[in-house]
Amino acid sequence: VLALAQRFGCASASIVSFDPVLPRASIALTAGAFPESARRSYESEFASHDPMPRIVASAPSGTVFATDRFFSDDYLRHSLFLNEFLRPHGIEETLGGTVSDGDGRLAILTLHRGTDRKSFHDDECAELAEILPHLTRALELRRAFTRLNTKASLLASFIDRLSAGVIIYRSDGEVVYANRAAREIASRED
């Protein structure tokens, strides 16, 4: 995500995950100059004022938006979310897109533009649209690996509780895992 922010000349980026039914939003990932205090503030005070989760809940995955074009000037002048949350954190505009977050949730990738760069242009919107399917796939893979790591950790914890020594080998004979009991037996060197 940080590489994307840098590619588009932005100081920070985030992925906001939300349930399209509710929609309750939370920041799943941040990168760059987006402080942890902003993340906490978003979730405790401002998530309910963020208009994008409600708007993109019905948008197909891959929909791209630039907030300066998406909202009217009047809305931007009076937006509590923009004026009391984004701007105090140095964010003038966001370029974003919807990505599938799995398990019935959606996510929005947002790249944060400060006043140090010009508004996002059509070519940047098109470029982000080309990137979003790949980001969606990367998120799917990340979730799959996280689930596998969780499963492996739980199985290792279970095997470690056995009183019998268990050693798991790869087909080439290398030890993949030895539980606590097997390590204790091997440490005796008898």
Side-chain angles (χ1 to χ4, degrees), residues 85-151:
F85 178 72
L86 292 178
R87 284 188 173 141
H89 288 98
I91 301 169
E92 190 62 30
E93 176 189 17
T94 63
L95 173 65
T98 58
V99 291
S100 172
D101 190 25
D103 301 327
R105 295 179 65 82
L106 295 175
I108 306 169
L109 163 70
T110 57
L111 305 171
H112 309 147
R113 175 184 74 80
T115 56
D116 58 335
R117 68 152 285 177
K118 294 180 182 179
S119 293
F120 297 110
H121 52 78
D122 290 340
D123 290 345
E124 290 174 313
C125 292
E127 184 178 347
L128 184 61
E130 290 178 14
I131 292 170
L132 287 178
H134 303 288
L135 182 61
T136 296
R137 184 64 181 139
L139 289 172
E140 289 169 356
L141 290 170
R142 182 176 184 262
R143 275 193 308 280
F145 287 131
T146 299
R147 282 189 208 113
L148 284 173
N149 284 337
T150 300
K151 185 184 282 187

Side-chain angles (χ1 to χ4, degrees), residues 37 63 72 80 86 94 96 104 107 126 145 152 158 161 169 183 186 188:
S37 60
T63 301
S72 69
L80 176 104
L86 292 178
T94 63
F145 287 131
F158 175 77
R161 291 185 184 130
Y169 292 92
R183 289 189 306 270
R188 291 185 213 142

Side-chain angles (χ1 to χ4, degrees), residues 1-160:
V1 175
L2 181 58
L4 277 176
Q6 292 169 341
R7 164 65 192 95
F8 286 89
C10 299
S12 62
S14 64
I15 294 182
V16 177
S17 176
F18 67 96
D19 184 331
V21 176
L22 297 177
R24 290 181 54 194
S26 63
I27 296 177
L29 178 68
T30 61
F34 197 79
E36 180 60 30
S37 60
R39 181 183 190 151
R40 287 190 305 269
S41 175
Y42 176 86
E43 291 178 356
S44 66
E45 299 174 60
F46 290 100
S48 63
H49 299 286
D50 185 350
M52 293 313 295
R54 285 182 295 281
I55 291 169
V56 302
S58 60
S61 185
T63 301
V64 173
F65 56 87
T67 54
D68 276 8
R69 298 178 198 183
F70 202 77
F71 296 107
S72 69
D73 289 339
D74 184 58
Y75 177 84
L76 293 172
R77 272 193 302 280
H78 297 98
S79 168
L80 176 104
F81 185 69
L82 174 63
N83 294 304
E84 294 188 26
F85 178 72
L86 292 178
R87 284 188 173 141
H89 288 98
I91 301 169
E92 190 62 30
E93 176 189 17
T94 63
L95 173 65
T98 58
V99 291
S100 172
D101 190 25
D103 301 327
R105 295 179 65 82
L106 295 175
I108 306 169
L109 163 70
T110 57
L111 305 171
H112 309 147
R113 175 184 74 80
T115 56
D116 58 335
R117 68 152 285 177
K118 294 180 182 179
S119 293
F120 297 110
H121 52 78
D122 290 340
D123 290 345
E124 290 174 313
C125 292
E127 184 178 347
L128 184 61
E130 290 178 14
I131 292 170
L132 287 178
H134 303 288
L135 182 61
T136 296
R137 184 64 181 139
L139 289 172
E140 289 169 356
L141 290 170
R142 182 176 184 262
R143 275 193 308 280
F145 287 131
T146 299
R147 282 189 208 113
L148 284 173
N149 284 337
T150 300
K151 185 184 282 187
S153 293
L154 290 171
L155 287 171
S157 174
F158 175 77
I159 292 170
D160 263 346

